[in-house]
Amino acid sequence: MTIPSESIGSIPRPADLLDALAAYRSGDLDAAALAERQRRAVADTIDTLVALGSPVVTDGEQAKPSFATYPIADLPGLAPDGVVIPFADGHQRQLPRLTAGPFRYQVYAESYLRAAQQHSPVPVKQAVIAPSALSLLYPADGIDGYPREAFLADLADEAERDIRGCLDAGAHRVQLDFTEGRLSLKLDPSGGVLDSFIELNNTVLQRFSEAERARIGVHTCPGGDQDSTHSLDVDYPALLPKLLQLRAGAFYVQLASEPDPDKVLGVIAEYLPAGATVFVGVTDPIDPRVETAEQVRDRVLNAARYLPVDRLGTCDDCGFAPFADDISTSRETAFAKIRARLEGTALAAGQLGV
């Protein structure tokens, strides 16, 4: 396939893993037994992606509690009453609140990557949470003896270590999940919060060489949890020019669920940094209907009207289950959509003669 195609990250967990997670939380399953269930789920996920013809795979985030909170699992000094993320259907997710410093990751994504590589005959990409998302852990009224500036310095160091560990371990690409970017414009329409997010993320990205940044991507979407979004109502072109200021070599852009994809593509074409690749979303994980290969093909061909084909790739709009307890999409539906993405991308590549 000459047009690259990659998954964003999460795949719905199999039923036996969901049962194991529930048993672990209730004290009926120990950590070793849970880890074995997670290992099997990772192996099965990768086997299925390879069988579908995916040239690059992820571990499906089978062992992550969520795409956002994996670094702080079991971190001392957290309270449960942090920032609330409201979704369009009325449900909420809530981040914890940091109560003490210094801030240190408890888990680094390299551990997930190395576990996945043991099962994969093809390159593995690794998703990591953007430091801007974790900056939301710090409370507005501060922490005695641990000023925000000190927290942000620690956070930048930890985020760099998270990314660098994956690069050094041979990740095909490291993808920063930046779903809070669009949400920030809902929380602060002035754009001040978004500007602070971009600045923090670039503080980390600028620590990498140009060759390393070529292997670092950024994913944006309006959220995807329990078949709902948190910021699809925010005007996408208000985000994209600033998003494309990030010092990354690839951008994974939700597009299949956009009501006006041509408008979005026009903005991307105008602001796309030199040398960067854009992976456009061609399947919608929160839509229960499985796209056909022909629908995907047509979405790719439309994107090629705006973007150079040699800088164009495809992806899913979002992960299929960013939080471990999200069962709104079946595992079978997720893999069917991925198959359509791969087949449709190949059809478009053939029609474009690349």
Side-chain angles (χ1 to χ4, degrees):
M1 183 182 297
T2 52
I3 297 178
S5 191
E6 299 179 10
S7 296
I8 289 301
S10 61
I11 301 291
R13 284 73 170 171
D16 69 327
L17 177 53
L18 294 173
D19 291 343
L21 288 167
Y24 177 73
R25 288 192 294 268
S26 67
D28 295 328
L29 192 71
D30 63 24
L34 174 61
E36 174 57 22
R37 298 280 186 93
Q38 291 170 329
R39 186 198 66 78
R40 295 205 306 260
V42 168
D44 179 73
T45 298
I46 291 174
D47 286 348
T48 304
L49 290 173
V50 170
L52 290 174
S54 186
V56 175
V57 299
T58 75
D59 67 353
E61 301 187 353
Q62 303 297 287
K64 281 185 180 178
S66 82
F67 79 104
T69 60
Y70 71 88
I72 57 173
D74 300 322
L75 175 68
L78 291 179
D81 56 341
V83 172
V84 172
I85 302 173
F87 284 79
D89 65 356
H91 87 276
Q92 298 179 339
R93 293 286 185 178
Q94 188 167 21
L95 295 174
R97 171 175 58 88
L98 191 67
T99 63
F103 178 73
R104 298 289 186 269
Y105 282 20
Q106 305 301 290
V107 176
Y108 294 93
E110 176 189 347
S111 63
Y112 301 117
L113 172 64
R114 291 190 181 278
Q117 288 170 328
Q118 295 178 17
H119 302 285
S120 181
V122 300
V124 182
K125 70 180 283 189
Q126 181 60 52
V128 303
I129 189 61
S132 51
L134 294 178
S135 72
L136 296 171
L137 300 176
Y138 193 86
D141 56 359
I143 298 173
D144 288 343
Y146 191 50
R148 182 174 180 82
E149 293 75 15
F151 163 72
L152 291 176
D154 287 341
L155 172 57
D157 288 346
E158 292 296 279
E160 178 190 358
R161 179 177 171 182
D162 202 32
I163 297 167
R164 194 172 297 282
C166 295
L167 291 175
D168 291 346
H172 171 75
R173 203 182 311 268
V174 180
Q175 171 192 292
L176 275 66
D177 286 328
F178 185 49
T179 69
E180 69 279 5
R182 197 165 178 178
L183 177 63
S184 73
L185 290 172
K186 189 170 190 175
L187 303 176
D188 173 26
S190 76
V193 172
L194 176 60
D195 288 342
S196 70
F197 283 172
I198 297 295
E199 181 181 5
L200 175 59
N201 290 339
N202 268 339
T203 295
V204 175
L205 290 169
Q206 287 166 359
R207 298 182 181 187
F208 295 90
S209 69
E210 184 175 349
E212 289 169 333
R213 287 198 298 268
R215 294 169 55 206
I216 300 174
V218 177
H219 168 237
T220 180
C221 75
D225 180 46
Q226 298 179 18
D227 282 352
S228 187
T229 62
H230 54 52
S231 53
L232 188 61
D233 54 334
V234 173
D235 187 30
Y236 214 176
L239 167 69
L240 291 170
K242 292 186 176 181
L243 172 84
L244 293 168
Q245 293 174 11
L246 288 170
R247 301 289 300 277
F251 295 90
Y252 299 84
V253 180
Q254 161 264 340
L255 191 62
S257 55
E258 276 301 305
D260 190 352
D262 290 279
K263 179 181 178 181
V264 174
L265 287 164
V267 174
I268 295 172
E270 180 178 356
Y271 290 94
L272 181 63
T277 298
V278 177
F279 290 78
V280 296
V282 292
T283 59
D284 180 2
I286 68 174
D287 186 341
R289 297 170 296 182
V290 176
E291 293 83 357
T292 66
E294 289 73 23
Q295 285 175 313
V296 170
R297 175 201 62 198
D298 292 345
R299 289 170 178 172
V300 180
L301 294 176
N302 188 53
R305 294 172 52 227
Y306 295 87
L307 302 169
V309 176
D310 61 350
R311 298 169 64 190
L312 176 63
T314 65
C315 61
D316 311 300
D317 270 3
C318 188
F320 289 91
F323 297 87
D325 61 359
D326 184 0
I327 57 173
S328 58
T329 299
S330 72
R331 198 166 165 87
E332 292 72 23
T333 295
F335 285 130
K337 284 175 173 280
I338 290 169
R339 181 191 296 275
R341 167 170 55 79
L342 294 168
E343 293 179 351
T345 301
L347 288 175
Q351 193 159 330
L352 291 166
V354 297

